[in-house]
Amino acid sequence: MCEFTGKCANIIQSWNPAVLGLLDSLPYDEEVVVWGRRWIVKTSTLGERHGYGVYACEDIVVEDSTSCRREGPTLFPYGGPIYKRRHWNMILRQHPEWKTFALEMDTFAGSTRRHSDVRVIDGDPIRSGNIAGFINSTVGTRPKCKANCEWVFVEGPPPAPYGETYHEDHCLVLATRTIRLGDELFTHYEWN
């Protein structure tokens, strides 16, 4: 864990993954249950550069794969502490390695926040139990991988039972096409 000084020491938030139904830690190469579905985190099919990936341990059927964008089955949340953009920038100045799993939640369709009020989710899987942090991008893959899920902004609390204790806006991972047992999850995002 990183040491923070100055204003950053007051900005860093504690995070309890259980409020969104996430695990405290994610074991590699072992099946886990998140939001009632079975998953495994193991080496990505894309190779070493991409590290780990998330694989389905059951079939997840999307009824009409061509028109279900933003309407497919919910897989799990993109979880972690939420920071204002300016606070996130302060954190990065002290510890630039944290940027890898940051998700700007207010850049998604449906958000009504001004750019200056953008919020960032620290979705590092190790710090936050965020299984979505292991979903790899289709950008630059050869042969081209097709995305089978996407991140979606949701205003207000998540579905029950998680919305009973967590009342914030959040992001969910939704299936956009049928995912079969053993398929790795992919979505489309730019990364460094």
Side-chain angles (χ1 to χ4, degrees):
M1 200 62 173
C2 299
E3 285 284 324
F4 287 93
T5 59
K7 286 184 179 181
C8 281
N10 295 326
I11 292 170
I12 295 299
Q13 300 173 19
S14 61
W15 170 251
N16 177 2
V19 299
L20 274 177
L22 298 171
L23 306 172
D24 284 333
S25 63
L26 293 165
Y28 301 117
D29 301 314
E30 289 181 31
E31 194 174 292
V32 296
V33 176
V34 178
W35 278 36
R37 297 187 193 277
R38 297 175 302 127
W39 308 97
I40 191 166
V41 174
K42 61 183 183 179
T43 304
S44 175
T45 58
L46 299 176
E48 280 184 30
R49 179 173 177 233
H50 294 270
Y52 291 95
V54 179
Y55 296 80
C57 294
E58 58 191 71
D59 289 345
I60 302 163
V61 178
V62 175
E63 294 303 322
D64 181 3
S65 296
T66 61
S67 65
C68 283
R69 294 183 65 78
R70 304 205 189 284
E71 297 173 13
T74 300
L75 305 180
F76 40 74
Y78 192 105
I82 298 172
Y83 297 96
K84 292 179 180 176
R85 165 48 74 193
R86 71 178 185 278
H87 292 158
W88 185 248
N89 289 341
M90 291 170 66
I91 291 168
L92 291 185
R93 280 194 289 280
Q94 282 195 20
H95 294 285
E97 69 277 11
W98 277 42
K99 67 183 175 185
T100 308
F101 298 97
L103 179 68
E104 290 188 358
M105 68 187 291
D106 296 308
T107 59
F108 292 90
S111 175
T112 57
R113 292 214 175 211
R114 295 181 318 211
H115 181 70
S116 61
D117 294 330
V118 166
R119 296 164 294 175
V120 175
I121 300 174
D122 175 15
D124 184 284
I126 307 306
R127 290 191 299 268
S128 66
N130 180 34
I131 191 169
F134 289 114
I135 298 174
N136 283 303
S137 175
T138 60
V139 173
T141 57
R142 299 282 184 261
K144 182 69 173 168
C145 294
K146 287 187 175 182
N148 52 15
C149 64
E150 68 179 343
W151 296 323
V152 177
F153 171 82
V154 180
E155 197 168 16
Y162 313 107
E164 295 168 10
T165 56
Y166 187 82
H167 305 285
E168 306 291 327
D169 295 346
H170 59 287
C171 288
L172 293 176
V173 179
L174 303 182
T176 56
R177 40 191 287 256
T178 295
I179 300 167
R180 296 287 176 208
L181 170 80
D183 283 355
E184 183 174 358
L185 298 185
F186 293 108
T187 192
H188 182 87
Y189 63 90
E190 299 290 333
W191 59 285
N192 298 330

